[in-house]
Amino acid sequence: MYETFYGFNAKPFQLKPDPRFFFGSKGHNRAMAYLEYGISQGEGFIVITGEIGAGKTTLMRNLFCELKSENIVAAQIVNTHVGSDDILRLVAAAFGLEYENATKATLLHRVEQFLKQCDRQGKRALLVVDEAQNLTPRAVEELRMLSNFYTEDKSLLQTFLLGQPEFRRVLLSEDMEQLLQRVIASYHLGPLDIGETQSYIEHRLQTVGWKGNPTISTEAFSAIYSYTGGIPRKINSLCDRMFLMGYIEELQAFDESEVNQVIADIKQEFKLPPEKVEIPVNLTALGLKDSYAYSNAENMDDRMARMERSISSVIDALKKMLPSSKMNNSPD
């Protein structure tokens, strides 16, 4: 939609990780250096952590593009909500091995034979495990055991673990000491700063042929940073909506007001609807409907006070409707 309107040759702010849009921020370049160092070592574990949407998967895909496929056989696991036995099946499947109805011993044998075959062919095996924070301690232990496959002079498998910050707590637990001893490098990927946020947006736009139209003011970049906190995936989501609005309203420039309008729209879309309160039929008949709140945001004390005032007013009205003279209680 907006790609054609602004003359782009592709969508600049898609959520899918794409190495074409890799942006070398200070943090991403440093993380890439750790990954390349790990590749050069050819053994052990490399751990990269970062917040959701920080760019860990894009970082890895960029690394895959740089690897010489004839020398390295790389496989990736992304579904990590599994037990210790299933993690071995995922490893086998990732390397293209038969895994159905196989016992644990059979899976280990097949993986070992595959790794030895790679070595005979002059290749190295690399396993990348994404969303590592979801792994159980036993599943992590199974991955560690795979690192025990050696020839006489080198390791047959190297593993990269990518996860959210809480994965570091898993690594620091007492039962992870053996794995920690095999971690040769670790890095936490933080968010972009405000200057990198602007450069990141401009880089993605330039990748699809942006020539300065539409213009984006400094204040607009600041508003984008304030809302997204420098998290690339959040930046992509916000900018995609911003450019869609620009297409709909035929805008040639974005300022802070346009960014704030999009942010307000997003917040409104994800706002929970007000929770309605059941109105007793008899009170409704007495005109007490307005005494009930329709939102959880209202204070309970206020709601009760309003209801009491309404009931009092109805009681006063009923008193006025009764005969003013007292009933004669004397006998006939």
Side-chain angles (χ1 to χ4, degrees), residues 161-198:
L161 300 174
L162 312 180
Q164 295 172 25
E166 54 265 33
F167 182 57
R168 289 182 172 269
R169 289 194 291 271
V170 176
L171 290 177
L172 294 175
S173 60
E174 293 182 359
D175 52 354
M176 290 291 109
E177 183 176 353
Q178 293 189 70
L179 176 65
L180 275 178
Q181 293 177 1
R182 303 191 184 195
V183 174
I184 62 175
S186 176
Y187 185 76
H188 180 73
L189 186 62
L192 308 178
D193 61 29
I194 186 169
E196 290 173 331
T197 297
Q198 177 173 342

Side-chain angles (χ1 to χ4, degrees), residues 124-147:
R124 292 165 47 198
L126 171 64
L127 176 65
V128 178
V129 182
D130 211 342
E131 302 296 340
Q133 75 279 351
N134 297 326
L135 293 170
T136 65
R138 289 188 60 188
V140 175
E141 178 64 12
E142 291 294 343
L143 293 176
R144 185 192 69 80
M145 293 298 292
L146 292 179
S147 67

Side-chain angles (χ1 to χ4, degrees), residues 5 244-252 258 261:
F5 179 73
L244 177 60
M245 183 189 74
Y247 160 71
I248 294 172
E249 300 186 8
E250 299 184 353
L251 302 178
Q252 303 301 323
E258 284 75 30
Q261 180 180 340

Side-chain angles (χ1 to χ4, degrees), residues 57-243:
T57 304
T58 302
L59 183 76
M60 189 54 56
R61 293 194 177 185
N62 184 66
L63 177 68
F64 280 2
C65 290
E66 295 182 357
L67 294 177
K68 295 182 178 179
S69 58
E70 65 271 17
N71 295 330
I72 295 180
V73 179
Q76 186 172 15
I77 295 175
V78 295
N79 185 3
T80 53
H81 281 287
V82 295
S84 57
D85 290 341
D86 285 333
I87 195 67
L88 292 178
R89 293 187 175 89
L90 289 178
V91 171
F95 283 117
L97 306 177
E98 181 62 38
Y99 63 91
E100 293 185 1
N101 301 319
T103 64
K104 180 178 178 179
T106 300
L107 289 170
L108 288 171
H109 178 72
R110 288 175 181 172
V111 171
E112 182 180 16
Q113 293 305 308
F114 170 78
L115 297 177
K116 289 181 176 179
Q117 180 183 3
C118 289
D119 182 63
R120 289 192 295 268
Q121 296 173 349
K123 298 179 180 180
R124 292 165 47 198
L126 171 64
L127 176 65
V128 178
V129 182
D130 211 342
E131 302 296 340
Q133 75 279 351
N134 297 326
L135 293 170
T136 65
R138 289 188 60 188
V140 175
E141 178 64 12
E142 291 294 343
L143 293 176
R144 185 192 69 80
M145 293 298 292
L146 292 179
S147 67
N148 287 333
F149 292 139
Y150 280 90
T151 62
E152 292 183 358
D153 60 344
K154 59 184 174 182
S155 175
L156 292 175
L157 178 65
Q158 185 174 34
T159 304
F160 288 178
L161 300 174
L162 312 180
Q164 295 172 25
E166 54 265 33
F167 182 57
R168 289 182 172 269
R169 289 194 291 271
V170 176
L171 290 177
L172 294 175
S173 60
E174 293 182 359
D175 52 354
M176 290 291 109
E177 183 176 353
Q178 293 189 70
L179 176 65
L180 275 178
Q181 293 177 1
R182 303 191 184 195
V183 174
I184 62 175
S186 176
Y187 185 76
H188 180 73
L189 186 62
L192 308 178
D193 61 29
I194 186 169
E196 290 173 331
T197 297
Q198 177 173 342
S199 298
Y200 172 83
I201 295 170
E202 292 174 340
H203 166 74
R204 295 189 74 97
L205 289 171
Q206 290 164 357
T207 301
V208 299
W210 179 59
K211 303 298 183 183
N213 179 40
T215 60
I216 307 174
S217 71
T218 302
E219 292 75 16
F221 284 119
S222 296
I224 293 171
Y225 174 75
S226 296
Y227 178 73
T228 64
I231 300 297
R233 188 181 299 167
K234 292 183 178 180
I235 296 172
N236 288 358
S237 179
L238 176 58
C239 288
D240 186 61
R241 288 290 300 269
M242 186 177 74
F243 275 80

